[in-house]
């Protein structure tokens, strides 16, 4: 990783945790973060919507940032059960994960949906963490690069830049399975993503965009993944639900 890109460690809590768990996890991370003189990484935690206020209170003043796991593409209106990006911003969210493979598979979200959600998050003043990644079937059919390219170009928000957009490469076959991409597999895809970003945003801006790896990242494999030239951090599911493990992953960025 080049020095110009500040690593990001983002915890995707998914549909896990009650109030007591969220309070414990968020305050445990905040306590550790406060002890650092000068953190060399950005830390983001993304709880379920109703836990966002509580988590934001628990991390106040620590530098730990709050993110959401999705948002609607409109800021308000008749959309029962959906969440406004303006409200998320108002609740102190700094980022929104969009296009996670579980949203794509559970809710049929397509690249075009992901793109407008990312644009809405940015318009409301947050950053978008745009997720892309191939299934095992697509990898086995040697379609990884074409799938990832298509998803990237279709999901990338208009006006994307290194400040408002983070890309998360998450091979679907590695999510929650314990099967992590090898360093070579991760770097190969990250390099292609960076190349494509360079074409769309210009090489200089493309070089500044952070590309996170996600999929069974754990304390035991984080260091070698994070050391790769185009891996700028992680989007972590399972291991983000444990303070010690998540913190150990963050420390692997150093
Ligand atoms: P995992 O999930 O770390 O549990 O594999 C990652 C993700 O889905 O963001």
């Amino acid at each position: 990783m080049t020095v110009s890109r500040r690593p990001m460690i983002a915890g995707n809590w998914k549909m896990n945790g009650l109030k007591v768990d969220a309070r414990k996890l968020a305050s445990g991370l905040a306590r550790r973060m406060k002890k650092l003189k000068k953190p060399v990484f950005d830390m983001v935690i993304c709880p379920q919507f109703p836990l966002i206020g509580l988590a934001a209170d628990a991390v106040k003043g620590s530098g730990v940032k709050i993110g959401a796991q999705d948002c609607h593409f409109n800021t308000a209106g008749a959309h029962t059960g959906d969440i406004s990006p303006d409200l998320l911003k108002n609740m102190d969210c700094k980022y929104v994960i969009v296009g996670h493979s579980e949203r794509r598979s559970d809710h049929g979200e397509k690249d075009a949906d992901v793109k407008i959600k990312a644009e809405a998050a940015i318009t409301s003043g947050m950053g978008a963490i745009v997720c892309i990644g191939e299934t095992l079937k697509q990898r086995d059919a040697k379609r990884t690069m074409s799938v990832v390219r298509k998803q990237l170009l279709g999901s990338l928000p208009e006006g994307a830049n290194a400040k408002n957009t983070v890309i998360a490469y998450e091979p679907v076959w590695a999510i929650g399975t314990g099967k992590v991409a090898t360093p070579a597999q991760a770097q190969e895809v990250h390099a292609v993503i960076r190349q494509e970003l360079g074409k769309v945003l210009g090489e200089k801006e493309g070089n500044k965009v952070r590309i996170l790896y996600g999929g069974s990242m754990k304390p035991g494999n984080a260091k070698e993944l994070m050391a790769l030239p185009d891996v700028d951090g992680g989007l972590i599911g399972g291991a983000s639900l444990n303070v010690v493990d998540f913190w150990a992953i963050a420390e692997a960025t150093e």
Side-chain angles (χ1 to χ4, degrees), residues 156-246:
L156 201 65
E158 199 62 45
N161 61 40
K163 285 213 171 75
N164 65 24
T165 302
V166 174
I167 307 298
Y169 167 58
E170 300 203 302
V172 178
W173 49 269
I175 295 176
T177 58
K179 268 193 234 155
V180 65
T182 64
Q185 285 171 326
Q187 173 55 29
E188 189 185 21
V189 181
H190 280 234
V192 166
I193 293 171
R194 181 145 339 268
Q195 205 176 46
E196 291 300 318
L197 288 171
K199 284 188 211 158
V200 182
L201 311 178
E203 202 181 318
K204 196 163 163 231
E205 197 62 26
N207 269 330
K208 289 195 218 157
V209 175
R210 291 180 285 190
I211 309 174
L212 314 182
Y213 168 81
S216 298
M217 196 184 253
K218 304 269 183 283
N221 58 33
K223 197 139 196 124
E224 61 175 356
L225 288 162
M226 231 85 86
L228 298 167
D230 287 298
V231 173
D232 307 310
L235 179 56
I236 296 111
S240 74
L241 298 172
N242 177 291
V243 177
V244 174
D245 286 354
F246 193 52

Side-chain angles (χ1 to χ4, degrees), residues 77-98:
H79 303 287
T80 304
D82 280 316
I83 304 286
S84 154
D86 271 4
L87 174 62
L88 292 174
K89 168 72 180 168
N90 189 234
M91 299 287 291
D92 293 329
C93 283
K94 300 281 187 279
Y95 290 93
V96 183
I97 300 171
V98 289

